[in-house]
Amino acid sequence: MSDSLTRRDFLGAASGLAAGAVLGPAITAKAAPAVHVRPAARNAAVASANGLRAVQKVGELLQQGVDTLDAAIEGVKIQELDPDDTSVGYGGLPNEHGVVQLDASCMHGPSRRAGAVGALEGIKTPSVVAKYVLLYTDHIMLVGEGAKRFALSYGFKEEDLLTDRARERWLHWRANRGPDDDWIDVPREEQMVVEERHGTINCNVVNANGDISSVTTTSGLAWKIPGRVGDSPLIGAGQYTDNDVGAAGSTGRGEANIKVCGAFLTVEFMRRGMSPTDAALETLRRVVATTEPRLKDEQGRPRFDLNFYAVNKRGEFGGAAIWSHRESDDPVERTIRQYAAFNGETAQLYDSAYLYERYPESGQ
Ligand code: GLY
């Protein structure tokens, strides 16, 4: 991380002291519950399943002593720059107007700082812009035009993020939107089926010293209402790090996660002693409990999916989803209930824990 961290941390500490002097002793902060985890003895990283290359990269960088946030962002950048990943960065599926709007956020455990961008257009790597917000501003989140101008001021290049593949899928979606619009429907037998997908990459990293960081980046919900911001850029929802405990993050239906502050909640469950997997499952139970009836099936189960990934200070990691893993010929579908992790030695995919067995007739 840059020298500016040191400077800002100093300034932050100084202004905190000044506030304390004015307010006097009447306000006392309640200490967070004690944490019963030893620092990591190994490097580790956990990510959504599309992050297999990311966690491999993170593993290599941690071996070289690279900072956990820098390593996490170098990892997720692989997906942001990959035109074949239609859920993240360049090549991401656009909003209903055909414009790609990207969200990202990150946290750096050792400095206890955060940065985020929402509805950012024209910049391929929103995770890096989020890191610049963390590094160079006194703010946490920039959105829309302001976020773009901020990025351009640092030399980020403005580019058209809509690849031919994503444009074709958007055009097909628009054509088939409904019988009463002005677009002629495209028959399904022409193999122009359009699917709605959430897609995102989250990556949570701990090094052998027990320092932790997290990042989440996404193009959000395909065909979203312009300006819609999901969970990914929201600190505490899309990702969260507490350097004393661990980090967690999410992919899937952002609206369901935002209501429970799921990444924060998962870290809080780990603080109380739960394993990363159990913490992720407990958060998902909270999600189910807060789901509106219109989004549940007749057995009270959500009609959407949501995944959490978590790592603790010891380097233990896990992942959980609402629905179980399903075999499929579709590579995206196949990995959607898995997660990627670097376990200190190798990077590989693991099956996520889950709340519900996927039933065959489910459209999930
Ligand atoms: N979790 C990604 C989104 O809902 O935008």
Side-chain angles (χ1 to χ4, degrees), residues 342-361:
F342 176 74
N343 58 22
E345 289 171 8
T346 58
Q348 63 186 81
L349 288 175
Y350 296 81
D351 283 352
S352 298
Y354 55 87
L355 294 183
Y356 303 117
E357 199 74 57
R358 184 164 299 279
Y359 48 92
E361 70 274 20

Side-chain angles (χ1 to χ4, degrees), residues 103 198-200 216 218-221 224 228-233 250-255 257 306:
D103 299 334
H198 291 262
T200 301
T216 298
T218 189
S219 52
L221 178 64
K224 61 194 171 189
R228 178 264 190 188
V229 164
D231 57 333
S232 304
S250 179
T251 62
R253 182 180 161 84
E255 282 75 7
N257 179 17
L306 187 62

